[in-house]
Amino acid sequence: MLSYLHAFHAGNFADVQKHASLTLALSMMQVKPSGIACFDTHAGSAVYDLSGERARKTGEADAGVQALWRSRGRLASPDWARLLDVLAGLNSGEGRLERYPGSPVWFRQALRPADTLTAFELHPAEHDQLSGWAADQRVRVLRQDGLAGLLKQLPPRQPRLLVLIDPSYEIKSEYSDVAATLEKAWQKCRHGVFLVWYPILPGGLQEALKDAVEAGSVAKVLCSEVCLRQPPERGMAGSGVLVVNPPWGFGERLATMMEAAAEPLGTDHTVRWLVPEA
Ligand code: SAM
């Protein structure tokens, strides 16, 4: 089933948390010079038009990245600066943001010569848009299932690994599929840093993912969750990211970022170990 299009949701509060986690992990890993193999299992498009019909239909970015952008002068954490610079580089004026980068763009803007990105996207139109954008020999775009594709590519050539797993969870079984893939990928590359995004839903479907990860053998799993102070009656009440093998101090720095963004986003953030070090 490929009915999900991220253009309706790009730049919402969940994207802000996910992309803040991703850019922080990247920059903390890049303190060391050795190359990083990056994988984006569910990449979506490259750049989203926040003035376009799809984004305007839901207006989700208004309470997400647009609210963050309006408050950028008050975001005390220096870790927001890199992310804000990328947004400034993509947008011309000082007013509302017109363009918002998807995860492959967040990855690519940080790639160094020895780093690579492999992006999987199954939707034909999204895949074509992404392929057209990725004119960079360090970036590969593959129209393959992202979970199976990732497992085929591990272990990578480079000494280090960063994976973003960000499905649309249109099918209930995706929660357990993601947990099973994480387990297998970690068995192949135990030092890898894995970021797994999930929605926090009123029915608690996401607990299946967390329970399966807790029951498995993957160790050092941090769990970051932002919850909306005024959740809608239907739909996402919050957004979560599991981070396997986070760089040292990652949780504290992410917490500082999300606390600084709590007022503009109308969210509360918690971070805890779902599975501590073995
Ligand atoms: N990661 C993107 C970001 O942060 O900007 C958003 C991705 S969106 C939540 C999920 C994407 O996964 C959609 O574009 C969808 O077409 C794609 N998709 C769905 N099933 C897939 C699969 N089995 N393998 C790869 N991509 C898939």
Side-chain angles (χ1 to χ4, degrees):
M1 195 202 306
L2 285 171
S3 53
Y4 180 94
L5 283 173
H6 197 62
F8 289 97
H9 311 288
N12 66 8
F13 76 97
D15 259 10
V16 171
Q17 181 220 14
K18 173 178 58 185
H19 296 147
S21 309
L22 175 61
T23 52
L24 180 62
L26 261 167
S27 73
M28 291 182 79
M29 288 177 77
Q30 287 178 332
V31 169
K32 292 183 191 157
S34 48
I36 306 171
C38 302
F39 289 88
D40 193 348
T41 60
H42 298 73
S45 294
V47 177
Y48 297 94
D49 175 9
L50 295 182
S51 310
E53 204 179 312
R54 288 172 177 165
R56 294 311 311 149
K57 187 163 183 190
T58 61
E60 286 186 23
D62 293 350
V65 74
Q66 300 286 15
L68 186 87
W69 185 246
R70 281 195 300 277
S71 304
R72 61 192 178 283
R74 295 193 295 279
L75 293 174
S77 152
D79 285 321
W80 280 115
R82 260 184 320 275
L83 199 135
L84 294 171
D85 281 350
V86 174
L87 292 176
L90 258 188
N91 291 275
S92 49
E94 285 289 298
R96 284 173 63 80
L97 297 169
E98 297 291 325
R99 284 147 55 87
Y100 184 75
S103 50
V105 180
W106 290 110
F107 272 114
R108 193 182 75 174
Q109 57 81 30
L111 293 182
R112 302 165 303 174
D115 302 331
T116 56
L117 169 64
T118 305
F120 298 96
E121 175 53 52
L122 265 190
H123 191 289
E126 301 289 70
H127 168 269
D128 291 352
Q129 200 267 358
L130 193 56
S131 298
W133 159 86
D136 184 324
Q137 60 183 13
R138 296 164 303 176
V139 180
R140 275 192 307 170
V141 178
L142 301 176
R143 192 169 159 201
Q144 292 175 13
D145 173 69
L147 298 181
L150 171 69
L151 293 177
K152 274 194 213 138
Q153 305 277 342
L154 297 184
R157 187 172 47 80
Q158 289 98 321
R160 289 184 305 147
L161 171 73
L162 174 61
V163 180
L164 173 65
I165 302 179
D166 179 27
S168 44
Y169 296 100
E170 285 174 280
I171 309 165
K172 269 190 196 171
S173 59
E174 279 183 286
Y175 294 96
S176 50
D177 293 347
V178 166
T181 302
L182 179 65
E183 177 76 32
K184 288 182 195 153
W186 182 82
Q187 293 290 356
K188 285 178 172 229
C189 206
R190 290 187 179 213
H191 64 279
V193 177
F194 297 86
L195 269 61
V196 179
W197 181 84
Y198 57 90
I200 298 175
L201 298 167
L205 278 176
Q206 71 280 354
E207 296 307 315
L209 165 66
K210 288 155 68 180
D211 289 349
V213 171
E214 268 190 287
S217 43
V218 182
K220 279 183 82 179
V221 187
L222 204 66
C223 173
S224 152
E225 294 192 337
V226 290
C227 290
L228 289 170
R229 290 176 183 165
Q230 294 182 318
E233 271 177 30
R234 284 155 25 110
M236 276 200 300
S239 157
V241 180
L242 299 181
V243 187
V244 179
N245 291 323
W248 189 83
F250 175 90
E252 290 79 0
R253 280 171 67 173
L254 183 62
T256 304
M257 286 180 85
M258 296 318 299
E259 273 155 31
E263 289 312 315
L265 297 180
T267 51
D268 290 309
H269 178 245
T270 55
V271 62
R272 68 184 173 94
W273 288 104
L274 181 72
V275 187
E277 199 160 356

